Amino acid sequence: MTDSQMTPPPEPTPGVDGAQPGPAGAPAPVPTVLDEGTYEQIREPRGAGRLALDGRWHQISPRYVVSQFVQNGIFLALVLAAALVVSLVFEQLWVWIPAGVILLVTAFTLIILPRQARAIGYMLRDDDIVFRKGILWQRIIAVPYGRMQLVDITHGPLDRAFGVAQLKMVTAAATTGVQIPGLTQQAAQSLRDTLIEVAETRRTGL
């Protein structure tokens, strides 16, 4: 019996982050950090480094809806309190007309907010990032990496409390600016760093 017949075959080694290898020994695809905590499912982050321009739609975090409900709830409480003070103290009943309109519009906005949040998505392609939003009136914007001038992250106190942020991309043309709300803090930071790095390579022609 030869040595090759006596030696057992080597154990398969796991791929990146413990993923089992795919066909022909290639590691299985690793989910990116953009998918962590989204509506699809919670996945393990890819890790440090530039994100893959995978050409897949990514969604925002459901915590964005909770944050908006809390913020709008506080706003409605203030409007209601102001209307009560004006109507009871100053005996101005007309104040309930604008207050009622504000309450109805805000309540309707909150009712459709979960569906609107699920309709928000973005895709990283080789040459641009595509952003979509809207249910009945849909809007799809493609922003070339090379035209980005500023990538900014903003979040208020309640946004930080719920762990969400908004990423804003500014280009030379104001009409092509994009704001992606409801990103997790980690996803927003990774996406910002990736967009800045890719934008630099596109502008220099690398």
Side-chain angles (χ1 to χ4, degrees):
M1 183 177 295
T2 63
D3 293 340
S4 61
Q5 292 175 324
M6 296 178 61
T7 304
E11 293 293 333
T13 58
V16 182
D17 293 340
Q20 294 298 324
V30 180
T32 67
V33 69
L34 300 180
D35 291 317
E36 183 180 3
T38 63
Y39 280 111
E40 296 179 355
Q41 59 182 339
I42 298 178
R43 299 189 174 99
E44 294 296 330
R46 175 190 178 92
R50 197 172 87 177
L51 301 172
L53 308 180
D54 51 12
R56 295 193 303 111
W57 285 111
H58 301 278
Q59 292 181 280
I60 64 175
S61 171
R63 287 177 285 180
Y64 168 72
V65 177
V66 181
S67 173
Q68 291 299 305
F69 264 90
V70 173
Q71 294 183 50
N72 282 275
I74 295 174
F75 172 72
L76 290 178
L78 293 176
V79 171
L80 184 59
L84 285 172
V85 170
V86 174
S87 63
L88 296 178
V89 176
F90 300 99
E91 298 182 354
Q92 301 291 329
L93 298 180
W94 60 265
V95 73
W96 287 108
I97 297 177
V101 173
I102 294 174
L103 293 175
L104 288 176
V105 172
T106 306
F108 177 76
T109 303
L110 293 178
I111 291 174
I112 65 175
L113 180 61
R115 288 195 61 190
Q116 288 180 330
R118 289 179 179 272
I120 297 176
Y122 58 97
M123 177 191 300
L124 295 170
R125 302 194 298 188
D126 290 336
D127 298 317
D128 54 26
I129 178 172
V130 181
F131 173 73
R132 71 178 184 188
K133 67 176 182 178
I135 302 174
L136 295 179
W137 290 272
Q138 297 183 351
R139 186 182 184 188
I140 300 179
I141 307 173
V143 182
Y145 298 126
R147 295 186 179 180
M148 291 184 186
Q149 296 183 338
L150 174 66
V151 182
D152 186 26
I153 296 176
T154 59
H155 41 69
L158 285 177
D159 292 330
R160 289 195 297 270
F162 287 97
V164 294
Q166 175 178 266
L167 186 138
K168 181 179 180 181
M169 294 167 281
V170 179
T171 63
T175 56
T176 57
V178 171
Q179 295 182 4
I180 306 178
L183 296 172
T184 62
Q185 297 284 349
Q186 187 176 4
Q189 294 173 7
S190 298
L191 186 57
R192 176 199 58 193
D193 296 341
T194 298
L195 291 176
I196 292 174
E197 182 179 351
V198 176
E200 286 294 331
T201 61
R202 295 298 186 272
R203 282 195 291 265
T204 57
L206 298 178

